[in-house]
Amino acid sequence: KARDAKRAADIKQLASALEAYFSSNTAYPAQATPATTIPGLDTNYIGQMPTAPTPEEPNCVGQNDYLYDSQDVLLYTITFCLGSATGDYGPGPHYLTPKGVQ
């Protein structure tokens, strides 16, 4: 549960940082291939890039990393996975977009 709580908090932090970046740049950072880094999202927007806690959960094997993808600078997706229900989110893979978590 502690690892899932950290994952949920990390995703909220990333969402806030990306919205601050968008506010300054009228675009989200471009990243054509999903990666654990977000180009241009430096300390002006986020203190340190969060990384998913380990070990990965049994239902998240191979999906533990936070992967950022933005082929259109007006949209982005960050994939993440929860081991159990956390807050409003059920267990399993989820996606953060500018519209929120799905």
Side-chain angles (χ1 to χ4, degrees):
K1 289 198 177 264
R3 289 189 301 269
D4 283 335
K6 181 184 181 323
R7 289 179 183 104
D10 288 349
I11 293 303
K12 287 180 184 176
Q13 180 185 20
L14 285 167
S16 293
L18 285 164
E19 291 310 313
Y21 183 97
F22 186 87
S23 181
S24 297
N25 298 283
T26 63
Y28 295 108
Q31 177 70 19
T33 304
T36 57
T37 59
I38 301 176
L41 198 65
D42 58 23
T43 56
N44 291 327
Y45 305 101
I46 195 166
Q48 182 176 358
M49 186 69 180
T51 56
T54 56
E56 61 190 10
E57 307 302 330
N59 64 329
C60 295
V61 174
Q63 302 176 47
N64 193 54
D65 291 329
Y66 306 142
L67 293 178
Y68 177 81
D69 184 18
S70 179
Q71 300 198 16
D72 174 346
V73 295
L74 299 178
L75 300 171
Y76 69 84
T77 301
I78 296 178
T79 59
F80 67 102
C81 191
L82 298 173
S84 61
T86 304
D88 295 335
Y89 315 130
H94 293 276
Y95 305 91
L96 171 67
T97 69
K99 294 182 179 183
V101 174
Q102 296 156 31

